[in-house]
Amino acid sequence: MVNIPLLLVGCGGVGRQLLHHIASCRHLHSKQGVMLRVVGVCDSKSMVAVPDVLTSHLDDEFLLQLCKVKSSGSSLQELANLGGCQVFSGQEIARKVMDFAATLRRLSGLTLVDCSASSQTVELLSQAVNLDCCVVLANKKPLTSSLEDYDKLVSQPRRIRHESTVGAGLPVISTINRILSSGDPIFRIIGSLSGTLGYVMSEVEGGRPFSEVVNTAKRLGYTEPDPRDDLGGMDVARKALILARLLGHRINLDSIKVESLYPVEMGPDVMPVDEFLSNGLPLLDKDIKNRIDNASSKGKVLRYVCLIEKSRCEVGIQEVAKDSALGRLKGSDNVLEIYSRCYSEQPLVIQGAGAGNDTTAAGVLADILDIQDLFRH
């Protein structure tokens, strides 16, 4: 039986769903000869951990109770009363994680899983890499920080997996790595990597006003509470940077040209979200419609995409052919077209659900299992 000790950082929607997946897949993993041993879970304020990292684990009943506590908005501190765990807070958290990593380094090693949305985990992850930990990421921010931090994180490529940082559970990162490893140079990547913006752009194409579509997307739960978090394009820019760096581009986030779908004067610091939805958005309808009509006159459609080609790395609205994979895109799916020597005329296309806690957590779980050979003795 391969024993993989793991410590989860971040127990929001994705982190909690991951714990549910781990608990529900016990029988399957046992048949595969794998045991995922959760030795700790932490959020930004507290950590619950096993008293003995070498022999014990947080059992499934405890993990499901932890999920209930976090779903209700309560603190991990409440779990101290259940027994069978230790609770740490503040600076004690990083010290305890490093203590676990150092102890397990001599044996199987530790897997650190970052399902947070924080930029503050970079230092912790870097220290973990120094102690030969495996790192699995759903969090994009560590991979889009400085090049110095990025180089440290990817310095041991066999020990890092981050499929879920781009396209949730879709096999984007692994596909690109396989192509590059075969010596087939990738010269162009273009893709719709936001389920929200993919939905918005495919819906306005049918004649619905931009403002109406964004409000519908919000009601359906496709957007963040403030849709400007999606419409600003920064989430797509982070995904584009991760892909560009995979291709060898030595660039930072501020190197990427990002088109926001709202002007600065409608930003969160200027206009409250309710005012933006009711009064600001309708002012954008005419410009979007004009761009749609202009593209249509050329037999094309508009999509909000990331484009990486030669020295270009940009994010924004592009005109694409109606009969391309991007042009046919409907709803909230992600789609990526990869062009290389072997895929020069007909691109390799990856398409499917690219968002959602369930899909993302499943991708994280697959990444954890993908490193199991490093734990065989």
Side-chain angles (χ1 to χ4, degrees), residues 45-76:
K45 297 178 180 177
S46 308
M47 178 171 89
V48 291
V50 292
D52 183 355
V53 72
L54 294 175
T55 60
S56 53
H57 65 276
L58 302 174
D59 64 35
D60 293 345
E61 184 179 351
F62 182 95
L63 295 177
L64 296 179
Q65 183 60 36
L66 182 153
C67 290
K68 288 181 182 178
V69 167
K70 289 300 297 181
S71 294
S72 69
S74 300
S75 166
L76 291 176

Side-chain angles (χ1 to χ4, degrees), residues 21-270:
H21 281 330
I22 289 172
S24 66
C25 290
R26 288 294 183 199
H27 179 65
L28 171 64
H29 293 160
S30 178
K31 288 173 64 177
Q32 295 173 341
V34 180
M35 168 64 178
L36 301 185
R37 190 164 62 89
V38 181
V39 297
V41 177
C42 68
D43 58 18
S44 59
K45 297 178 180 177
S46 308
M47 178 171 89
V48 291
V50 292
D52 183 355
V53 72
L54 294 175
T55 60
S56 53
H57 65 276
L58 302 174
D59 64 35
D60 293 345
E61 184 179 351
F62 182 95
L63 295 177
L64 296 179
Q65 183 60 36
L66 182 153
C67 290
K68 288 181 182 178
V69 167
K70 289 300 297 181
S71 294
S72 69
S74 300
S75 166
L76 291 176
Q77 297 277 352
E78 290 193 11
L79 295 165
N81 300 326
L82 295 181
C85 73
Q86 299 172 306
V87 181
F88 304 90
S89 59
Q91 295 181 345
E92 294 178 313
I93 297 174
R95 283 198 293 267
K96 194 63 184 177
V97 172
M98 290 304 103
D99 179 49
F100 277 9
T103 301
L104 289 168
R105 183 185 193 183
R106 300 189 297 270
L107 300 167
S108 59
L110 174 68
T111 297
L112 203 57
V113 183
D114 185 357
C115 289
S116 74
S118 172
S119 58
Q120 305 302 311
T121 60
V122 174
E123 184 177 351
L124 182 69
L125 294 169
S126 295
Q127 292 176 6
V129 168
N130 286 338
L131 291 172
D132 299 327
C133 289
C134 291
V135 171
V136 174
L137 301 171
N139 183 6
K140 291 178 280 293
K141 292 180 180 175
L143 291 172
T144 55
S145 55
S146 71
L147 277 167
E148 181 182 358
D149 289 332
Y150 175 82
D151 289 341
K152 171 63 76 65
L153 285 175
V154 301
S155 61
Q156 298 186 52
R158 291 183 65 234
R159 293 182 176 274
I160 183 168
R161 297 291 185 277
H162 56 95
E163 193 69 78
S164 294
T165 58
V166 180
L170 295 176
V172 173
I173 305 298
S174 56
T175 299
I176 290 173
N177 279 331
R178 284 175 64 88
I179 293 172
L180 294 174
S181 296
S182 73
D184 183 11
I186 294 172
F187 57 83
R188 174 181 165 93
I189 291 178
I190 183 169
S192 175
L193 294 175
S194 164
T196 303
L197 295 176
Y199 170 82
V200 169
M201 298 312 296
S202 64
E203 287 293 307
V204 295
E205 180 187 314
R208 294 176 64 194
F210 179 68
S211 56
E212 178 187 309
V213 172
V214 173
N215 275 288
T216 300
K218 186 176 187 299
R219 284 197 302 275
L220 292 172
Y222 289 169
T223 75
E224 295 294 330
D226 186 340
R228 287 171 293 192
D229 290 344
D230 299 292
L231 299 177
M234 286 309 297
D235 186 62
V236 179
R238 290 186 185 279
K239 295 175 182 179
L241 179 58
I242 290 170
L243 297 182
R245 285 178 168 178
L246 269 185
L247 299 188
H249 295 273
R250 303 290 291 172
I251 61 174
N252 289 309
L253 198 57
D254 57 11
S255 309
I256 299 175
K257 181 182 176 184
V258 182
E259 177 185 3
S260 172
L261 297 188
Y262 64 87
V264 175
E265 55 267 26
M266 293 185 191
D269 296 335
V270 181

Side-chain angles (χ1 to χ4, degrees), residues 12-22 113 115 136 138 164 168-169 355-368:
V14 174
R16 294 195 300 271
Q17 191 64 52
L18 174 63
L19 295 178
H20 277 284
H21 281 330
I22 289 172
V113 183
C115 289
V136 174
S164 294
N357 293 337
D358 190 16
T359 309
T360 305
V364 173
L365 182 56
D367 271 352
I368 294 169

